[in-house]
């Protein structure tokens, strides 16, 4: 659906160039929710703004829905942009227009008939749950309501892609969750491809199918969220996940003072339906190993349940090795950490 | 009271002068807005162009606007006499003052328009671009509606400035309240008429300012 080829973006004049993106390649499938996570200044904002050419890349190509946007003239680009919805961190609604008129804006650009506008806008107002606010002005709405208007406006022209530029960063946690749920709903309902950029791992974990980690203008790691989240490879990714799990200090404390001869700390990862099975309990029962839980999480990534336990096995060396082997055989992921 | 005697005042003359002032104001404000608004939009757009050629055009236009704004109005009236004649046929009276008033006020208003447009949230313009708006759609559907309170405030300032300009145009026999104040009060020491004319102008400015503020408040949604 979206294909970025050798995308490079540089700012400034010769001699004092800063490079925001350097030769970045990315491919996003139709119907998926794709997240890009990175620190501020990593280039993620530039990246998403290149997808509808709000920023023109210095070199490289941007393909959306089989069309090379970078090759288009002004008029054709305007037409293509109508198929790409976008929502923003600060909502960017017209302060002089009502909720209704804001949502009708993209429809009026293409001279839609009054009756069609009325029908479409009413439908969207219901979808985002703002039917009773149709005649209010943005200043009379809360942040979450404003973003709902933004989403309705972005959907008005029946886009194939929705770009979310830090769409929840200005919202409180509860409102963030409700907006994320709405995005997930419309992704399913309309099979809409959603690209979102964020600096919060929580956002990625809640709704994304795949994630790319951007650092210093390039993608350092990408893949299905379950994979990247549970087995991060790059240091930047680990850092984001550590923030989310907040397990650094507590774990160090738990791992202190072990002799290592008769005990072994391991990280066990459960994924999908295995999360709720009593695999660990059965296995230790069979091998006669005891365990203490040092740390654990059971949660979901998008709608996939997962569990991650750090446990200390106690028993003979052979029995511990046997336990680990059995767990691996049953499809769990086990990593020895101490 | 203060030794003033208002019984000798020719109210007819006051009435005519008031009407003349209103006519000069109405016509010159109308044309200043019609001419100044597009120039202001042009200034705003040209300053943001990616083309170096257009930005060069901006510096030229900006320079012309600055020149017109720095020429003292009284000199503008005299300097424009031939042009005024060729446009409206005469260089005196109510009609003769309108071209110099417009040339004096339109560049001023254009700058106020540019300032008001600069205040429009960049994010909203960006969102309009992202939705596939053309340049003219951005001007008509985003810039002007979003800047409406600022534009109305600019119109108010312009029209109030025009009140004092019309007073100066008395120098070329322009008529109106300012002319009356100078002719009777300054040259003939008829203090009563001068006071009346000045008071009427104060009232006029107050009313215009109040009406303008009201409109601005009505359209402010922030």
């Amino acid at each position: 659906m979206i294909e970025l080829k050798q995308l490079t973006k540089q700012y400034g004049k010769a001699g004092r160039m800063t490079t925001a993106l350097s030769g970045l390649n990315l491919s996003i499938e139709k119907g998926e929710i794709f997240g890009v996570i990175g620190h501020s200044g990593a280039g993620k904002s530039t990246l998403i703004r290149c997808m509808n050419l709000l920023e023109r890349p210095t070199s490289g190509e941007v393909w959306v829905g089989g069309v090379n946007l970078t090759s288009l003239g002004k008029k054709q680009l305007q037409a293509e942009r109508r198929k790409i919805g976008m929502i923003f961190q600060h909502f960017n609604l017209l302060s002089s227009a009502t909720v209704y008129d804001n949502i009708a804006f993209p429809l009026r650009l293409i001279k839609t008939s009054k009756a069609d506008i009325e029908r479409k806008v009413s439908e969207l107002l219901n979808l985002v749950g703002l039917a009773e606010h149709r005649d209010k002005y943005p200043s009379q709405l809360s942040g979450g309501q404003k973003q709902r208007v933004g989403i309705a406006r972005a959907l008005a022209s029946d886009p194939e892609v929705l770009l979310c530029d830090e769409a929840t960063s200005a919202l409180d946690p509860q409102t963030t969750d409700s907006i994320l749920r709405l995005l997930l709903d419309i992704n399913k309902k309309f099979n809409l491809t959603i690209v979102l950029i964020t600096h919060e791992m929580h956002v990625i974990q809640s709704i994304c199918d795949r994630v790319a980690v951007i650092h210093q203008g390039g993608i350092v790691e990408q893949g299905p969220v379950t994979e990247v989240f549970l087995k991060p490879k790059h240091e930047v990714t680990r850092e984001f996940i550590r923030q989310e799990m907040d397990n650094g200090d507590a774990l160090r404390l738990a791992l202190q003072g072990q002799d290592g001869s008769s005990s072994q700390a391991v990280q066990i990862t459960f994924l999908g339906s295995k999360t709720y099975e009593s695999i660990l309990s059965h296995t230790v029962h069979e091998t006669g190993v005891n365990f203490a839980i040092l740390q654990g999480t059971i949660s979901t990534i998008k709608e996939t349940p997962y569990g991650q336990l750090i446990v200390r096995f106690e028993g003979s060396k052979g029995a511990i090795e046997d336990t680990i082997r059995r767990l691996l055989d049953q499809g769990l992921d086990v990593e020895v950490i101490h | 009271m203060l030794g003033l005697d208002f019984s000798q005042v020719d109210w007819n003359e006051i009435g005519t002068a008031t009407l003349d002032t209103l006519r000069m104001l109405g016509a010159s404000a109308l044309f200043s807005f019609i001419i100044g608004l597009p120039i202001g939009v042009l200034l705003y757009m040209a300053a943001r162009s990616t083309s170096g050629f257009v930005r060069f055009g901006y510096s030229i236009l900006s320079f012309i606007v600055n020149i017109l704004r720095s020429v003292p109005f009284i000199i503008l009236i005299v300097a424009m006499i031939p042009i005024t004649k060729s446009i409206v046929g005469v260089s005196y009276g109510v009609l003769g003052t309108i071209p110099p008033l417009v040339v004096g006020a339109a560049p001023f208003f254009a700058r106020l328009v540019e300032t008001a447009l600069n205040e429009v949230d960049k994010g909203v313009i960006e969102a309009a671009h992202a939705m596939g708006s053309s340049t003219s759609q951005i001007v008509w559907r985003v810039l002007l509606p979003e800047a409406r309170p600022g534009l109305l405030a600019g119109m108010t300032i312009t029209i109030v400035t025009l009140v004092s300009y019309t007073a100066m145009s008395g120098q070329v026999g322009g008529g109106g309240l300012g002319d009356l104040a100078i002719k009777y009060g300054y040259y003939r020491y008829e203090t009563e008429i001068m006071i009346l004319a000045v008071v009427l102008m104060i009232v006029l400015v107050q009313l215009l300012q109040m009406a303008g503020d009201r409109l601005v408040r009505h359209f402010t949604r922030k």
Side-chain angles (χ1 to χ4, degrees), chain B residues 63-170:
Chain B
F63 184 60
I64 294 171
V65 165
N66 284 345
I67 290 181
L68 286 175
R69 287 190 53 201
S70 34
V71 176
F73 184 62
I74 198 81
I75 292 173
L76 192 67
I77 296 174
V78 179
M80 273 190 62
I81 286 176
I83 303 169
T84 307
K85 253 188 187 152
S86 69
I87 297 175
V88 293
V90 289
S91 64
Y92 53 85
V94 171
L95 210 54
T97 59
I98 289 171
L101 283 172
V102 172
V103 171
F108 176 66
F109 181 61
R111 276 288 182 222
L112 295 176
V113 170
E114 189 191 5
T115 314
L117 296 179
N118 280 334
E119 292 296 308
V120 174
D121 182 4
K122 307 283 166 295
V124 181
I125 297 162
E126 185 162 78
H129 275 296
M131 288 186 271
S133 310
S134 66
T135 307
S136 74
Q137 283 171 328
I138 287 185
V139 171
W140 288 106
R141 292 173 183 274
V142 181
L143 281 175
L144 295 179
E146 285 290 290
R148 191 160 46 194
L151 294 176
L152 287 167
M155 287 180 175
T156 311
I157 297 174
T158 306
I159 206 165
V160 166
T161 307
L162 276 170
V163 172
S164 65
Y165 279 9
T166 61
M168 278 188 257
S169 64

